[in-house]
Amino acid sequence: MELLIFFLGIATSLLSYIGYNFLLKPIISLNEFKAKIGHTLTYYSHIITSPGRGKLADEASPIIRDLAFELEEKYLLVPLNKLATFFRLIPARNSVVTVKGQIIFMSNSVSADGKTDQNHKALEEVFTLLNIKELEPRNNNKK
C-alpha cells in the first residue's frame, strides 16, 4: 500500500511538472509578452500616430518590428493552440496573424508622413485583437 502511495506521488509530481512547464508556462509567457507589446506600443504611440523622420522614429522602427516576430514565436511555442484558443487562454491564430501584419505595418510607417490615421487604426486593432488591458481605455474598446 505504501508503495502505491509512493508511485502515485511520483506520478502526480511528474504530471504537475509536465503540465506547468509544457502547457501553462508558454501560455503565461505569451500573456506576459502581450503586456510588453502594450507597453512598447504605448511608449512609442506618439511616434506611431504622428509619424515623421527623426532619431526616435529610427529607434522605434526595429523595436516595433521585433515585437511582431517575437509574438509569432511565443504563439507557436504554445502547445495545443486550438484547445487554448477554445478556452480563450490565448488569442485565435487569425488574430495573431492580423496583429503581426499590423505591427509590421506600423514599424514600416513610423517614418512615413501621411500615415497618421492608418497607424492609429492599426494601433487600436492590435490592442483590440490581443485584448490588451489598459488603465486608460482607448476608443477601440467601445465597439
Short mmCIF file of all heavy atoms in Angstrom, two decimals, residues 34 37-38 41-42 71 88 90-92 94-96 98-100 102-103 106 119-134 136-143:
data_model
loop_
_atom_site.label_atom_id
_atom_site.label_comp_id
_atom_site.label_asym_id
_atom_site.label_seq_id
_atom_site.Cartn_x
_atom_site.Cartn_y
_atom_site.Cartn_z
N LYS A 34 2.18 39.87 -24.34
CA LYS A 34 1.11 40.78 -24.74
C LYS A 34 1.21 42.09 -23.95
O LYS A 34 1.02 43.17 -24.50
CB LYS A 34 -0.26 40.14 -24.53
CG LYS A 34 -0.63 39.11 -25.56
CD LYS A 34 -1.92 38.37 -25.28
CE LYS A 34 -2.96 39.06 -24.50
NZ LYS A 34 -4.16 38.26 -24.25
N ILE A 37 3.98 44.10 -25.42
CA ILE A 37 3.53 44.75 -26.65
C ILE A 37 2.75 46.02 -26.30
O ILE A 37 2.99 47.08 -26.88
CB ILE A 37 2.67 43.80 -27.51
CG1 ILE A 37 3.53 42.71 -28.11
CG2 ILE A 37 1.94 44.56 -28.61
CD1 ILE A 37 2.74 41.62 -28.82
N GLY A 38 1.83 45.89 -25.36
CA GLY A 38 1.06 47.05 -24.94
C GLY A 38 1.95 48.17 -24.41
O GLY A 38 1.77 49.34 -24.76
N LEU A 41 4.13 49.65 -27.46
CA LEU A 41 3.33 50.44 -28.40
C LEU A 41 2.79 51.71 -27.74
O LEU A 41 2.66 52.75 -28.40
CB LEU A 41 2.19 49.60 -28.97
CG LEU A 41 2.63 48.46 -29.89
CD1 LEU A 41 1.42 47.70 -30.42
CD2 LEU A 41 3.50 48.96 -31.03
N THR A 42 2.49 51.65 -26.45
CA THR A 42 2.06 52.86 -25.74
C THR A 42 3.22 53.84 -25.62
O THR A 42 3.06 55.05 -25.81
CB THR A 42 1.51 52.51 -24.35
OG1 THR A 42 0.39 51.63 -24.51
CG2 THR A 42 1.05 53.75 -23.60
N LEU A 71 6.10 37.86 -31.12
CA LEU A 71 4.73 37.43 -30.86
C LEU A 71 4.46 36.10 -31.56
O LEU A 71 3.92 35.17 -30.97
CB LEU A 71 3.73 38.48 -31.34
CG LEU A 71 2.25 38.07 -31.29
CD1 LEU A 71 1.79 37.83 -29.87
CD2 LEU A 71 1.39 39.13 -31.98
N ARG A 88 -10.07 30.31 -24.60
CA ARG A 88 -9.73 31.73 -24.58
C ARG A 88 -8.54 32.05 -23.67
O ARG A 88 -8.50 33.09 -23.03
CB ARG A 88 -10.94 32.58 -24.21
CG ARG A 88 -12.05 32.46 -25.22
CD ARG A 88 -13.21 33.30 -24.88
NE ARG A 88 -14.28 33.00 -25.81
CZ ARG A 88 -15.16 33.88 -26.21
NH1 ARG A 88 -15.11 35.10 -25.76
NH2 ARG A 88 -16.09 33.53 -27.06
N ILE A 90 -5.50 32.02 -25.03
CA ILE A 90 -4.65 32.75 -25.96
C ILE A 90 -5.52 33.26 -27.10
O ILE A 90 -6.63 32.76 -27.31
CB ILE A 90 -3.51 31.86 -26.52
CG1 ILE A 90 -4.06 30.67 -27.31
CG2 ILE A 90 -2.58 31.41 -25.41
CD1 ILE A 90 -2.99 29.88 -28.04
N PRO A 91 -5.05 34.26 -27.83
CA PRO A 91 -5.83 34.76 -28.97
C PRO A 91 -5.89 33.73 -30.10
O PRO A 91 -5.04 32.84 -30.20
CB PRO A 91 -5.06 36.00 -29.43
CG PRO A 91 -3.98 36.23 -28.46
CD PRO A 91 -3.85 35.04 -27.60
N ALA A 92 -6.87 33.88 -30.95
CA ALA A 92 -7.02 32.99 -32.10
C ALA A 92 -5.88 33.21 -33.09
O ALA A 92 -5.28 34.29 -33.16
CB ALA A 92 -8.36 33.25 -32.79
N ASN A 94 -5.86 33.55 -36.36
CA ASN A 94 -6.07 34.62 -37.34
C ASN A 94 -5.89 36.00 -36.70
O ASN A 94 -5.42 36.92 -37.37
CB ASN A 94 -7.42 34.51 -38.03
CG ASN A 94 -8.59 34.56 -37.07
OD1 ASN A 94 -8.44 34.39 -35.86
ND2 ASN A 94 -9.77 34.78 -37.61
N SER A 95 -6.18 36.14 -35.43
CA SER A 95 -5.94 37.41 -34.73
C SER A 95 -4.44 37.68 -34.62
O SER A 95 -3.99 38.81 -34.83
CB SER A 95 -6.54 37.39 -33.33
OG SER A 95 -7.94 37.32 -33.39
N VAL A 96 -3.67 36.65 -34.31
CA VAL A 96 -2.22 36.80 -34.18
C VAL A 96 -1.61 37.14 -35.54
O VAL A 96 -0.73 38.01 -35.62
CB VAL A 96 -1.58 35.53 -33.58
CG1 VAL A 96 -0.07 35.61 -33.61
CG2 VAL A 96 -2.07 35.31 -32.15
N THR A 98 -3.11 38.71 -38.01
CA THR A 98 -3.50 40.09 -38.30
C THR A 98 -2.67 41.08 -37.48
O THR A 98 -2.18 42.08 -38.01
CB THR A 98 -5.00 40.30 -38.01
OG1 THR A 98 -5.75 39.40 -38.82
CG2 THR A 98 -5.43 41.73 -38.29
N VAL A 99 -2.49 40.78 -36.20
CA VAL A 99 -1.70 41.65 -35.33
C VAL A 99 -0.26 41.73 -35.82
O VAL A 99 0.33 42.81 -35.87
CB VAL A 99 -1.76 41.16 -33.86
CG1 VAL A 99 -0.69 41.81 -33.01
CG2 VAL A 99 -3.14 41.42 -33.28
N LYS A 100 0.30 40.60 -36.20
CA LYS A 100 1.67 40.60 -36.73
C LYS A 100 1.78 41.53 -37.93
O LYS A 100 2.70 42.34 -38.03
CB LYS A 100 2.08 39.18 -37.12
CG LYS A 100 3.47 39.08 -37.70
CD LYS A 100 3.77 37.67 -38.16
CE LYS A 100 5.07 37.63 -38.94
NZ LYS A 100 5.27 36.38 -39.64
N GLN A 102 -0.19 44.07 -38.69
CA GLN A 102 -0.40 45.46 -38.28
C GLN A 102 0.85 46.04 -37.61
O GLN A 102 1.20 47.20 -37.80
CB GLN A 102 -1.61 45.59 -37.35
CG GLN A 102 -2.92 45.30 -38.01
CD GLN A 102 -3.31 46.31 -39.07
OE1 GLN A 102 -2.52 47.14 -39.52
NE2 GLN A 102 -4.55 46.25 -39.50
N ILE A 103 1.52 45.21 -36.80
CA ILE A 103 2.74 45.68 -36.13
C ILE A 103 3.84 45.94 -37.17
O ILE A 103 4.55 46.94 -37.10
CB ILE A 103 3.19 44.68 -35.05
CG1 ILE A 103 2.19 44.67 -33.89
CG2 ILE A 103 4.58 45.03 -34.54
CD1 ILE A 103 2.46 43.61 -32.84
N MET A 106 3.04 49.17 -38.88
CA MET A 106 3.41 50.33 -38.06
C MET A 106 4.91 50.56 -38.06
O MET A 106 5.37 51.70 -38.13
CB MET A 106 2.90 50.15 -36.62
CG MET A 106 1.41 50.35 -36.47
SD MET A 106 0.87 50.31 -34.75
CE MET A 106 0.89 48.54 -34.42
N ASN A 119 -2.08 54.40 -39.11
CA ASN A 119 -1.31 53.94 -37.96
C ASN A 119 -2.16 53.88 -36.70
O ASN A 119 -2.04 52.96 -35.90
CB ASN A 119 -0.09 54.84 -37.73
CG ASN A 119 1.00 54.62 -38.75
OD1 ASN A 119 0.88 53.77 -39.62
ND2 ASN A 119 2.05 55.39 -38.65
N HIS A 120 -3.00 54.89 -36.53
CA HIS A 120 -3.89 54.92 -35.36
C HIS A 120 -4.84 53.72 -35.38
O HIS A 120 -5.04 53.06 -34.36
CB HIS A 120 -4.66 56.24 -35.31
CG HIS A 120 -5.47 56.40 -34.07
ND1 HIS A 120 -4.90 56.64 -32.85
CD2 HIS A 120 -6.80 56.31 -33.86
CE1 HIS A 120 -5.85 56.71 -31.94
NE2 HIS A 120 -7.01 56.52 -32.53
N LYS A 121 -5.40 53.43 -36.55
CA LYS A 121 -6.29 52.27 -36.67
C LYS A 121 -5.54 50.96 -36.42
O LYS A 121 -6.07 50.04 -35.77
CB LYS A 121 -6.94 52.24 -38.06
CG LYS A 121 -8.01 53.29 -38.24
CD LYS A 121 -8.59 53.27 -39.63
CE LYS A 121 -9.56 54.42 -39.81
NZ LYS A 121 -10.05 54.54 -41.17
N ALA A 122 -4.33 50.86 -36.92
CA ALA A 122 -3.52 49.66 -36.70
C ALA A 122 -3.22 49.49 -35.22
O ALA A 122 -3.31 48.37 -34.68
CB ALA A 122 -2.23 49.73 -37.50
N LEU A 123 -2.90 50.56 -34.55
CA LEU A 123 -2.61 50.52 -33.11
C LEU A 123 -3.84 50.06 -32.33
O LEU A 123 -3.75 49.19 -31.46
CB LEU A 123 -2.16 51.91 -32.65
CG LEU A 123 -1.69 52.06 -31.21
CD1 LEU A 123 -0.46 51.20 -30.96
CD2 LEU A 123 -1.41 53.51 -30.89
N GLU A 124 -4.98 50.60 -32.66
CA GLU A 124 -6.22 50.20 -31.99
C GLU A 124 -6.55 48.73 -32.26
O GLU A 124 -7.00 48.01 -31.36
CB GLU A 124 -7.38 51.08 -32.45
CG GLU A 124 -7.35 52.47 -31.88
CD GLU A 124 -8.53 53.31 -32.28
OE1 GLU A 124 -9.32 52.88 -33.17
OE2 GLU A 124 -8.68 54.41 -31.74
N GLU A 125 -6.33 48.29 -33.49
CA GLU A 125 -6.63 46.90 -33.83
C GLU A 125 -5.75 45.93 -33.05
O GLU A 125 -6.21 44.88 -32.61
CB GLU A 125 -6.48 46.68 -35.33
CG GLU A 125 -6.99 45.32 -35.77
CD GLU A 125 -7.07 45.18 -37.28
OE1 GLU A 125 -6.48 46.00 -38.02
OE2 GLU A 125 -7.73 44.21 -37.72
N VAL A 126 -4.48 46.27 -32.87
CA VAL A 126 -3.58 45.42 -32.10
C VAL A 126 -4.08 45.27 -30.67
O VAL A 126 -4.18 44.17 -30.14
CB VAL A 126 -2.13 45.98 -32.12
CG1 VAL A 126 -1.27 45.29 -31.09
CG2 VAL A 126 -1.53 45.84 -33.51
N PHE A 127 -4.42 46.39 -30.05
CA PHE A 127 -4.92 46.34 -28.66
C PHE A 127 -6.23 45.56 -28.56
O PHE A 127 -6.44 44.82 -27.61
CB PHE A 127 -5.09 47.75 -28.10
CG PHE A 127 -3.83 48.33 -27.54
CD1 PHE A 127 -2.86 48.88 -28.36
CD2 PHE A 127 -3.60 48.31 -26.18
CE1 PHE A 127 -1.69 49.39 -27.84
CE2 PHE A 127 -2.42 48.82 -25.64
CZ PHE A 127 -1.47 49.37 -26.48
N THR A 128 -7.09 45.71 -29.55
CA THR A 128 -8.38 45.01 -29.53
C THR A 128 -8.22 43.51 -29.75
O THR A 128 -8.75 42.72 -28.98
CB THR A 128 -9.33 45.59 -30.61
OG1 THR A 128 -9.50 46.98 -30.36
CG2 THR A 128 -10.67 44.90 -30.59
N LEU A 129 -7.49 43.12 -30.79
CA LEU A 129 -7.36 41.70 -31.13
C LEU A 129 -6.61 40.91 -30.07
O LEU A 129 -6.90 39.74 -29.83
CB LEU A 129 -6.70 41.53 -32.49
CG LEU A 129 -7.53 41.94 -33.70
CD1 LEU A 129 -6.72 41.83 -34.97
CD2 LEU A 129 -8.79 41.11 -33.80
N LEU A 130 -5.63 41.54 -29.44
CA LEU A 130 -4.88 40.83 -28.39
C LEU A 130 -5.54 40.99 -27.02
O LEU A 130 -5.09 40.40 -26.05
CB LEU A 130 -3.43 41.35 -28.33
CG LEU A 130 -2.54 40.98 -29.49
CD1 LEU A 130 -1.14 41.52 -29.27
CD2 LEU A 130 -2.50 39.47 -29.71
N ASN A 131 -6.59 41.79 -26.97
CA ASN A 131 -7.30 42.04 -25.72
C ASN A 131 -6.32 42.51 -24.64
O ASN A 131 -6.29 41.98 -23.53
CB ASN A 131 -8.07 40.80 -25.27
CG ASN A 131 -9.07 41.11 -24.18
OD1 ASN A 131 -9.54 42.24 -24.06
ND2 ASN A 131 -9.40 40.12 -23.37
N ILE A 132 -5.52 43.50 -25.00
CA ILE A 132 -4.54 44.05 -24.07
C ILE A 132 -5.27 45.00 -23.14
O ILE A 132 -5.94 45.94 -23.57
CB ILE A 132 -3.41 44.78 -24.83
CG1 ILE A 132 -2.64 43.79 -25.68
CG2 ILE A 132 -2.47 45.49 -23.85
CD1 ILE A 132 -1.59 44.40 -26.58
N LYS A 133 -5.13 44.75 -21.87
CA LYS A 133 -5.82 45.55 -20.86
C LYS A 133 -5.05 46.83 -20.61
O LYS A 133 -3.83 46.86 -20.61
CB LYS A 133 -5.96 44.74 -19.58
CG LYS A 133 -6.80 43.50 -19.83
CD LYS A 133 -7.10 42.76 -18.58
CE LYS A 133 -7.93 41.53 -18.76
NZ LYS A 133 -8.23 41.02 -20.03
N GLU A 134 -5.81 47.92 -20.40
CA GLU A 134 -5.22 49.22 -20.18
C GLU A 134 -5.90 49.91 -19.01
O GLU A 134 -7.08 49.68 -18.75
CB GLU A 134 -5.40 50.10 -21.41
CG GLU A 134 -4.83 49.53 -22.69
CD GLU A 134 -5.22 50.37 -23.87
OE1 GLU A 134 -6.27 50.13 -24.46
OE2 GLU A 134 -4.45 51.29 -24.18
N GLU A 136 -6.21 53.23 -18.88
CA GLU A 136 -6.98 54.23 -19.60
C GLU A 136 -7.47 53.60 -20.89
O GLU A 136 -6.71 53.45 -21.83
CB GLU A 136 -6.12 55.45 -19.92
CG GLU A 136 -5.72 56.27 -18.73
CD GLU A 136 -6.86 57.14 -18.25
OE1 GLU A 136 -7.62 57.65 -19.09
OE2 GLU A 136 -6.97 57.31 -17.03
N PRO A 137 -8.74 53.18 -20.96
CA PRO A 137 -9.21 52.52 -22.18
C PRO A 137 -9.18 53.44 -23.39
O PRO A 137 -9.45 54.61 -23.30
CB PRO A 137 -10.63 52.09 -21.85
CG PRO A 137 -10.99 52.73 -20.56
CD PRO A 137 -9.77 53.32 -19.96
N ARG A 138 -8.84 52.84 -24.53
CA ARG A 138 -8.84 53.56 -25.79
C ARG A 138 -10.24 53.50 -26.38
O ARG A 138 -11.09 52.75 -25.93
CB ARG A 138 -7.87 52.90 -26.78
CG ARG A 138 -6.45 52.94 -26.33
CD ARG A 138 -5.59 52.14 -27.31
NE ARG A 138 -4.26 52.07 -26.80
CZ ARG A 138 -3.34 52.99 -27.08
NH1 ARG A 138 -3.60 53.99 -27.87
NH2 ARG A 138 -2.13 52.88 -26.56
N ASN A 139 -10.45 54.21 -27.44
CA ASN A 139 -11.73 54.18 -28.14
C ASN A 139 -12.01 52.81 -28.74
O ASN A 139 -13.15 52.49 -28.99
CB ASN A 139 -11.76 55.23 -29.25
CG ASN A 139 -11.72 56.63 -28.68
OD1 ASN A 139 -12.15 56.86 -27.56
ND2 ASN A 139 -11.20 57.57 -29.44
N ASN A 140 -10.98 51.99 -28.96
CA ASN A 140 -11.17 50.69 -29.61
C ASN A 140 -11.93 49.72 -28.72
O ASN A 140 -12.46 48.74 -29.19
CB ASN A 140 -9.83 50.09 -30.01
CG ASN A 140 -8.89 49.93 -28.84
OD1 ASN A 140 -8.84 50.76 -27.95
ND2 ASN A 140 -8.13 48.86 -28.84
N ASN A 141 -12.00 49.97 -27.40
CA ASN A 141 -12.72 49.05 -26.51
C ASN A 141 -14.21 49.33 -26.47
O ASN A 141 -14.95 48.65 -25.78
CB ASN A 141 -12.13 49.14 -25.10
CG ASN A 141 -10.72 48.63 -25.04
OD1 ASN A 141 -10.33 47.81 -25.86
ND2 ASN A 141 -9.96 49.11 -24.09
N LYS A 142 -14.67 50.33 -27.18
CA LYS A 142 -16.07 50.73 -27.15
C LYS A 142 -16.77 50.37 -28.45
O LYS A 142 -17.42 51.17 -29.06
CB LYS A 142 -16.20 52.23 -26.90
CG LYS A 142 -15.59 52.66 -25.58
CD LYS A 142 -15.67 54.16 -25.43
CE LYS A 142 -14.97 54.60 -24.16
NZ LYS A 142 -14.94 56.05 -24.05
N LYS A 143 -16.63 49.15 -28.90
CA LYS A 143 -17.24 48.74 -30.17
C LYS A 143 -18.60 48.19 -29.95
O LYS A 143 -18.98 47.61 -29.02
CB LYS A 143 -16.37 47.70 -30.88
CG LYS A 143 -15.16 48.34 -31.47
CD LYS A 143 -14.42 47.33 -32.32
CE LYS A 143 -13.27 48.03 -33.00
NZ LYS A 143 -12.52 47.15 -33.84
#
